[in-house]
Amino acid sequence: MYHFEEFDTVFASDPTFAYGEQTINKIVKSRRLADKVLFIDRLLETLGIERPQELYPPRSNKSLRDLHQRIIQSASPDHHKQSVLYYILKDIPDKDGTASNFAQLVFLPERYRIFINGVWLLDRGEFETALSHLTEPVLIPTFPEEILHLLCTHPNQHDDKLSLAYYYTVSPAITSPKILEALFSKIALSSVTEAFFWSRKQGEPNHQKLFEQLIQTVLGGPEGDDRARRSVELIHLPFSKEEEAWFEAFLRDGEGRDLHGAKDTLAVRAVATGKSRAAVEQGAAYGTKSDHAMDWSSLGSSYVQGSMTSSR
């Protein structure tokens, strides 16, 4: 019978194993980049182990033995303890399949192995490969908000599609305003229209906050064709009366009043919704800055000229 409670049995391939300095430095750096919390920290905390950052990575064989003992002494179910040991064994250079052999010997369920493979890869910044594990249908989502936040905010994660793919595949309930805003920024960068309709589903007060964040994202984006295109998409959205009031208040008197082309955006929105020619003339009076491939002032002038022509 396999006794995972015994250190020399679990680490039979090398009972004297200790983490190398390079490995330790990589883990410490990964923790710093992950806002000072790795998923192994969260796993250890679920076992009731306090201050996991002081225990992992273990700095010596003695420290590793102490960590193993703390895991074994946990009151958690065996599969949870075995999952954490499986994670740690994955840190050993796998020339002999140490971690895989352990999983087989303790009959670790497949969904546990898949999940640990995923978070182990996340902790090492291998995001795309990690998601191939963490989006498996067999998994019950665990730490979904934390995973989503990492994908949205990690400084080395530059592919917005990954965070959106995880969100739409797993559909986690989001309770943290910080994570909600981080996710929404990715949706807004992907599609103005999609972000607009998604914000409506979030209820109050999130709806208004996200609506204003969308305006901020669009008008505060880098100068160029993309900002011009997204600005046009924004002003043609089907606002409700309430959203129209938020839009005007945010850009006229609120935090968005100093955004690029704020007053002109209000004027052109008025044109797009058929409000008045006076709104365009008022917008031009503010002194318009040209955006690359988009000149709001010329749009206003064109509207005025067109109106004069049609009225002859």
Side-chain angles (χ1 to χ4, degrees):
M1 184 175 178
Y2 187 84
H3 296 285
F4 75 93
E5 299 89 349
E6 298 176 5
F7 180 91
D8 287 354
T9 299
V10 175
F11 293 87
S13 61
D14 184 5
T16 64
F17 173 76
Y19 284 64
E21 184 178 355
Q22 185 177 12
T23 300
I24 290 172
N25 290 338
K26 285 183 178 179
I27 293 171
V28 170
K29 181 180 179 181
S30 294
R31 180 179 279 126
R32 185 172 63 250
L33 291 173
D35 204 17
K36 300 181 181 180
V37 183
L38 293 172
F39 283 95
I40 182 60
D41 301 331
R42 297 182 174 99
L43 291 169
L44 289 169
E45 286 177 341
T46 63
L47 298 185
I49 298 174
E50 299 178 351
R51 298 186 295 278
Q53 291 89 343
E54 297 178 9
L55 301 173
Y56 181 90
R59 308 282 174 154
S60 65
N61 180 261
K62 181 178 181 303
S63 299
L64 179 59
R65 288 175 178 271
D66 179 62
L67 178 57
H68 170 267
Q69 189 63 23
R70 289 179 183 236
I71 293 169
I72 296 306
Q73 290 174 346
S74 166
S76 299
D78 282 352
H79 282 155
H80 292 183
K81 293 186 281 190
Q82 291 161 356
S83 295
V84 176
L85 290 174
Y86 174 63
Y87 179 109
I88 293 171
L89 288 169
K90 287 178 67 65
D91 290 339
I92 299 177
D94 207 18
K95 59 183 180 181
D96 299 317
T98 303
S100 299
N101 289 339
F102 172 80
Q104 293 175 3
L105 288 167
V106 299
F107 301 100
L108 190 64
E110 181 185 20
R111 68 177 184 273
Y112 286 82
R113 278 180 278 171
I114 292 172
F115 174 70
I116 294 298
N117 288 339
V119 295
W120 187 87
L121 288 164
L122 279 183
D123 281 345
R124 276 136 195 85
E126 298 181 35
F127 304 108
E128 186 170 358
T129 310
L131 284 201
S132 68
H133 295 277
L134 295 171
T135 54
E136 283 283 344
V138 70
L139 291 185
I140 298 172
T142 305
F143 305 132
E145 284 191 277
E146 292 84 351
I147 292 171
L148 187 59
H149 187 250
L150 181 77
L151 293 172
C152 289
T153 62
H154 195 286
N156 292 342
Q157 205 300 90
H158 305 297
D159 187 351
D160 292 345
K161 294 180 182 177
L162 292 183
S163 52
L164 296 180
Y166 180 77
Y167 172 73
Y168 288 121
T169 301
V170 178
S171 300
I174 301 175
T175 58
S176 164
K178 179 175 68 172
I179 297 173
L180 184 70
E181 290 176 11
L183 172 63
F184 186 73
S185 69
K186 299 301 181 183
I187 299 175
L189 289 171
S190 174
S191 169
V192 174
T193 301
E194 181 180 353
F196 169 70
F197 285 107
W198 191 85
S199 71
R200 286 181 164 180
K201 300 176 183 178
Q202 306 313 307
E204 294 302 337
N206 291 325
H207 180 195
Q208 182 175 358
K209 291 180 180 178
L210 295 177
F211 180 81
E212 292 174 350
Q213 184 180 338
L214 176 60
I215 301 170
Q216 172 78 46
T217 301
V218 172
L219 299 186
E223 181 178 349
D225 290 343
D226 188 58
R227 180 169 68 181
R229 176 188 60 77
R230 288 161 56 79
S231 296
V232 171
E233 187 177 355
L234 174 68
I235 64 173
H236 284 88
L237 290 171
F239 297 164
S240 66
K241 289 183 179 180
E242 186 177 41
E243 289 165 337
E244 197 77 55
W246 293 342
F247 184 78
E248 293 179 4
F250 183 70
L251 290 178
R252 180 172 291 122
D253 306 309
E255 293 181 8
R257 63 185 179 278
D258 294 324
L259 289 171
H260 173 91
K263 298 297 188 276
D264 302 304
T265 301
L266 283 172
V268 179
R269 169 70 185 179
V271 175
T273 54
K275 282 191 175 178
S276 69
R277 188 177 97 184
V280 179
E281 295 170 335
Q282 180 185 19
Y286 283 105
T288 305
K289 294 181 180 180
S290 296
D291 200 349
H292 183 63
M294 173 64 70
D295 188 333
W296 295 109
S297 187
S298 66
L299 280 179
S301 299
S302 298
Y303 171 77
V304 173
Q305 291 171 6
S307 297
M308 291 175 66
T309 301
S310 63
S311 62
R312 289 176 182 173

